[in-house]
Amino acid sequence: MGILTFENWLQSAPEWIHSIPEWLQNLFFQLYQTFIYQDRWKFFTDGLKITFIVTIGALILGIIIGLIIAIIRTTHDNSKRKPFFLLRFLNWFSNVYLTVIRGTPMMVQLLIMGFVIMVPKSDSGMIVCGIVTLGINSGAYVAEIARSGIMSINIGQTEAGRSLGLSYAQTMWHIIIPQAIKNILPALGNEMITLLKDTSLVSVIALRDVTKQAQNIVSKTYQAYIPYISLALIYLVIVIILTKLLGMLERRLRKSER
């Protein structure tokens, strides 16, 4: 039931198929096997849903973690007096986090999270595991992006906010962070594209993203050419669309600054 032979397909194929070269017949057969037979195109659409869910969830988590780490590090570095113990500890923890996450491969992090720490038992659990792992990984890179954005804001704006009676936290939240986010939006967009491509690694914890679904089709058809080329084209098209959208966003930001 799961394997369709070339001979069986050729018998039921339209007449014009018989008049084309054999290599082209084989190509059409592989396309039929990959997308049409048993509605296998749904494998790709179902996998893309998981890919987008993990990408968006990980990006949100990464931005939250990154902003927190960036604020801790900039507060520690900009402190004019010796930082109090809690801030020194949080800064130490942040540096350890950045060193460990940026110094180990994401696949290894997924394997540890999926088979040692969380060990999910359901599809939803694997999605959460993927989001958490990629979000923690992304947070280490977003932290440096956000830190550079915060540092790009003139220190005088912080002093102005404090002189108006705002606390340090209020100054950061109402004055510094909004400007920093505007400055780092293009870089965050690039991080989203990187995350989208990195979701292909979640297949190692058996999460059925679009990459895993392509592998499932290969296991059914015993033909790797069309499924994997199609997978590459899917990623390429999505990345091109996102790149175009990011370019439009950057142009609008430049216009608003004039």
Side-chain angles (χ1 to χ4, degrees):
M1 182 66 180
I3 301 176
L4 175 69
T5 64
F6 177 75
E7 290 75 17
N8 290 339
W9 170 79
L10 197 59
Q11 288 176 3
S12 58
E15 284 298 323
W16 63 269
I17 291 289
H18 297 268
S19 61
I20 62 178
E22 187 175 347
W23 67 269
L24 200 53
Q25 290 178 353
N26 190 56
L27 179 63
F28 277 110
F29 171 63
Q30 290 189 45
L31 285 168
Y32 181 85
Q33 262 195 322
T34 302
F35 292 103
I36 300 174
Y37 185 60
Q38 296 180 342
D39 291 333
R40 284 176 181 161
W41 58 271
K42 292 181 180 179
F43 281 62
F44 288 101
T45 56
D46 292 342
L48 276 174
K49 292 176 186 177
I50 302 297
T51 295
F52 286 132
I53 290 171
V54 173
T55 301
I56 295 170
L59 183 65
I60 294 171
L61 180 60
I63 290 173
I64 294 171
I65 294 174
L67 284 175
I68 293 172
I69 297 296
I71 292 171
I72 291 171
R73 296 192 69 205
T74 52
T75 303
H76 178 274
D77 295 344
N78 293 336
S79 180
K80 296 180 179 178
R81 293 177 292 181
K82 184 178 180 180
F84 56 91
F85 173 77
L86 179 59
L87 182 57
R88 293 202 306 274
F89 171 77
L90 291 174
N91 184 66
W92 170 84
F93 178 82
S94 299
N95 286 324
V96 171
Y97 161 76
L98 292 173
T99 301
V100 172
I101 297 301
R102 297 176 71 181
T104 55
M106 185 183 291
M107 182 175 288
V108 175
Q109 295 167 17
L110 280 165
L111 291 171
I112 292 173
M113 188 68 77
F115 298 104
V116 178
I117 298 176
M118 295 186 68
V119 195
K121 304 294 185 182
S122 63
D123 290 344
S124 59
M126 285 189 287
I127 291 174
V128 171
C129 180
I131 290 174
V132 170
T133 308
L134 268 67
I136 291 173
N137 182 278
S138 178
Y141 297 93
V142 172
E144 292 304 300
I145 295 172
R147 184 166 174 260
S148 66
I150 293 172
M151 297 295 286
S152 69
I153 307 301
N154 194 303
I155 190 76
Q157 298 204 35
T158 303
E159 295 171 352
R162 299 303 301 275
S163 67
L164 291 173
L166 299 176
S167 66
Y168 181 81
Q170 289 174 325
T171 302
M172 289 294 292
W173 181 255
H174 294 291
I175 298 176
I176 306 301
I177 296 298
Q179 296 182 73
I181 289 178
K182 182 180 178 181
N183 291 341
I184 65 175
L185 270 178
L188 288 178
N190 290 330
E191 177 63 20
M192 181 176 66
I193 290 175
T194 301
L195 263 178
L196 175 72
K197 292 185 290 185
D198 286 344
T199 55
S200 61
L201 296 174
V202 299
S203 58
V204 301
I205 59 171
L207 184 56
R208 288 179 288 186
D209 71 314
V210 67
T211 300
K212 184 64 175 179
Q213 297 287 29
Q215 293 173 339
N216 290 340
I217 291 175
V218 172
S219 69
K220 293 176 180 295
T221 63
Y222 301 103
Q223 298 287 342
Y225 178 74
I226 294 298
Y228 288 153
I229 293 296
S230 301
L231 176 64
L233 289 174
I234 288 170
Y235 277 114
L236 180 61
V237 169
I238 295 173
V239 169
I240 289 174
I241 292 172
L242 290 176
T243 302
K244 291 290 185 183
L245 292 175
L246 284 174
M248 294 169 59
L249 176 62
E250 288 182 27
R251 285 192 293 272
R252 291 195 63 179
L253 290 176
R254 283 198 296 266
K255 287 181 180 178
S256 66
E257 290 173 357
R258 293 173 184 173

